[in-house]
């Protein structure tokens, strides 16, 4: 009987809003016949990113696409890996003769190292290998010294002493995402000057082993030959990569209460049909007044037959009509808000009031 080669797995990590989902969409849209399975680790209840990825033209029916997108909605992969990740991987391993590659998009708040270490487990290691860990960097945010687009909203509870900025959990998580990388993408390179981009490259290089390549991109548009087939075998050397959070995942350590990203909330809000400009204005006001890092979801716009896809980082919103509403689904607006110390009922009340004013 023919022995199947190990199935390559690419792990895509990076902060919220850095462009991970856009990169995956680009990879799937340009798969060139590759049979790719996708695991989406969604931070939130609605599976928005999974919905986005299902819209990609990956050469299969919608029913087949639903079977290729795995949404892990209950916390970060590093915390739920034994409960959810292993069964999903076991199912994919059983189908590996029908697959050419697996893509995993981690939560923007997840730690990549424990996920890579999961590929050391015998049942996974015998069938899969981590082709590469790709870390997507928000270049304008790093150039601004903030690492994420709106750090004041992410880090609202941090100490105000500027001498302690290097101890910010945001910076530590940024460093940890880089420390696990086999390839780093300086995304949104078109949005900053050549001088700032060069400075970002130097800053990122300080956190990387010398062998890790750093490349620039705009909206994640890179040839697949650059992204796949790296053959890094990351699980073989991940233990030697230093992480600020190594002590959280030591042998026999089941206490995850100290995770920095536990301070983040993810709340879901459902609203009726509304006016597009009214909704976007209300959301912009909301993120200015509260510690909201990310907004994403689908909106039902009055007198429009298609649903509006909304993705926002801070006060910057991207939107487009992605598909027509199906006859069997309610025409309602569903949003996920991600941030710190969020009061779901107060935020929903404020939005509803703004939309009916």
């Amino acid at each position: 009987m023919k022995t199947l080669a190990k199935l390559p797995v690419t792990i895509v990590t990076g902060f919220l809003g850095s462009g991970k989902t856009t990169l995956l969409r680009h990879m799937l849209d340009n798969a060139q016949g590759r049979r790719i399975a996708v695991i989406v680790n969604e931070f939130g209840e609605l599976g928005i990113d999974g919905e986005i990825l299902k819209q990609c033209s990956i050469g299969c029916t919608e029913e087949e696409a639903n079977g290729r997108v795995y949404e892990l909605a209950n916390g970060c992969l590093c915390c739920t890996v034994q409960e959810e990740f292993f069964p999903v991987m076991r199912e994919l391993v059983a189908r590996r003769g029908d697959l050419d590659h697996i893509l995993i998009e981690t939560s923007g708040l997840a730690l990549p190292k424990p996920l890579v270490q999961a590929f050391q487990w015998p049942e996974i290691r015998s069938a899969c290998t981590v082709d590469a860990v790709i870390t997507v960097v928000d270049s304008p945010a790093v150039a601004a010294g903030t690492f994420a687009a709106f750090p004041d909203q992410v880090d609202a509870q941090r100490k105000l002493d500027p001498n302690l900025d290097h101890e910010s959990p945001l910076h530590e998580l940024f460093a940890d995402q880089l420390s696990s990388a086999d390839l780093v993408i300086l995304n949104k390179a078109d949005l900053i000057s050549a001088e700032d981009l060069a400075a970002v490259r130097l800053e990122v290089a300080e956190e990387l082993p010398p062998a890790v390549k750093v490349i620039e991109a705009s909206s994640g548009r890179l040839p697949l030959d650059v992204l796949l087939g790296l053959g890094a075998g990351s699980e073989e050397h991940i233990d030697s990569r230093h992480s600020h959070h190594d002590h959280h995942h030591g042998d026999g350590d089941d206490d995850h209460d100290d995770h920095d990203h536990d301070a983040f909330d993810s709340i879901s809000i459902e609203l009726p049909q509304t006016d597009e400009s009214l909704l976007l204005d209300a959301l912009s006001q909301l993120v200015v007044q509260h510690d909201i890092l990310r907004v994403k979801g689908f909106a039902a716009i009055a007198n429009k037959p298609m649903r509006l896809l909304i993705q926002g980082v801070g006060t910057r919103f991207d939107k487009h009509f992605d598909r027509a509403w199906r006859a069997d689904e309610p025409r309602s607006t569903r949003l996920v808000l991600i941030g710190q110390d969020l009061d779901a009922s107060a935020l929903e009340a404020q939005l509803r009031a703004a939309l009916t004013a």
Side-chain angles (χ1 to χ4, degrees):
M1 185 175 66
K2 180 181 177 181
T3 302
L4 293 174
K6 286 188 177 183
L7 185 60
V9 179
T10 296
I11 297 170
V12 179
T13 187
F15 276 141
L16 296 165
S18 62
K20 300 187 306 298
T21 299
T22 301
L23 176 66
L24 261 71
R25 291 191 69 172
H26 170 74
M27 295 169 76
L28 293 174
D29 282 336
N30 296 276
Q32 299 173 336
R34 294 179 179 88
R35 299 164 299 174
I36 299 176
V38 181
I39 300 176
V40 179
N41 176 213
E42 175 61 21
F43 189 89
E45 299 175 3
L46 299 182
I48 298 295
D49 286 349
E51 282 279 348
I52 294 170
L53 290 170
K54 288 174 189 175
Q55 305 306 314
C56 297
S57 54
I58 58 178
C60 60
T61 66
E62 182 174 352
E63 181 179 357
E64 290 171 335
N66 287 336
R68 293 187 184 186
V69 179
Y70 294 87
E71 298 172 35
L72 308 182
N74 298 322
C76 69
L77 278 176
C78 67
C79 294
T80 64
V81 66
Q82 288 181 315
E83 299 172 7
E84 297 185 53
F85 176 70
F86 184 71
V88 170
M89 285 302 302
R90 184 164 51 192
E91 179 177 346
L92 293 179
V93 165
R95 297 174 50 190
R96 77 180 192 269
D98 300 322
L99 298 173
D100 298 312
H101 210 99
I102 298 175
L103 298 178
I104 301 177
E105 179 190 359
T106 71
S107 158
L109 304 174
L111 303 173
K113 184 173 182 177
L115 174 58
V116 179
Q117 289 173 321
F119 285 83
Q120 298 171 349
W121 297 350
E123 192 168 343
I124 297 180
R125 186 171 188 166
S126 63
C128 299
T129 183
V130 180
D131 185 60
V133 176
I134 298 177
T135 298
V136 183
V137 171
D138 187 328
S139 298
V142 177
T146 60
F147 308 104
F150 295 87
D152 53 335
Q153 297 169 10
V154 180
D155 244 354
Q157 302 302 317
R158 292 298 299 167
K159 297 177 181 178
L160 298 178
D161 186 346
N163 294 321
L164 299 178
D165 282 351
H166 67 283
E167 294 181 4
S168 163
L170 205 59
H171 179 268
E172 289 183 0
L173 182 52
F174 178 71
D176 284 356
Q177 291 179 343
L178 290 174
S179 71
S180 297
D182 300 298
L183 175 69
V184 175
I185 297 175
L186 303 184
N187 205 23
K188 307 179 185 178
D190 56 321
L191 301 182
I192 58 175
S193 68
E195 293 78 11
D196 284 345
L197 188 59
V200 169
R201 180 181 285 271
L202 286 174
E203 183 169 356
V204 165
E206 292 178 358
E207 304 285 353
L208 298 173
V212 175
K213 294 187 180 299
V214 180
I215 57 177
E216 301 164 8
S218 302
S219 301
R221 292 190 294 271
L222 291 165
L224 253 63
D225 289 343
V226 173
L227 302 171
L228 304 182
L230 276 66
S234 309
E235 70 278 8
E236 301 290 343
H237 54 74
I238 191 64
D239 292 339
S240 65
R241 301 284 189 96
H242 170 71
S243 166
H244 291 284
H245 298 81
D246 286 342
H247 63 282
H248 291 314
H249 294 275
D251 293 339
D253 181 8
D254 294 325
D255 183 6
H256 300 291
D257 291 341
D258 293 329
H259 276 28
D260 289 325
H261 54 276
D262 284 349
F264 290 83
D265 299 319
S266 176
I267 64 172
S268 302
I269 293 178
E270 186 163 352
L271 302 165
Q273 294 187 67
T274 186
D275 176 78
E276 179 181 339
S277 60
L278 199 61
L279 176 61
L280 292 174
D281 287 345
L283 289 174
S284 296
Q285 289 295 319
L286 208 67
V287 300
V288 168
Q289 298 170 13
H290 302 275
D291 296 323
I292 299 172
L293 172 65
R294 180 83 182 270
V295 177
K296 56 184 178 178
F298 303 103
I301 305 302
N303 302 317
K304 296 290 184 180
M306 301 184 73
R307 68 180 189 180
L308 184 70
L309 169 64
I310 298 174
Q311 296 196 79
V313 179
T315 55
R316 186 178 71 245
F317 286 89
D318 295 321
K319 59 183 177 62
H320 69 272
F321 290 99
D322 71 323
R323 67 165 174 81
W325 289 99
R326 292 192 294 262
D328 61 347
E329 63 182 338
R331 288 176 57 93
S332 61
T333 297
R334 298 181 301 141
L335 301 172
V336 171
L337 310 181
I338 301 172
Q340 287 186 310
D341 298 328
L342 302 184
D343 185 328
S345 59
L347 291 173
E348 181 171 349
Q350 182 174 338
L351 270 179
R352 287 184 177 273
L355 295 177
T356 56

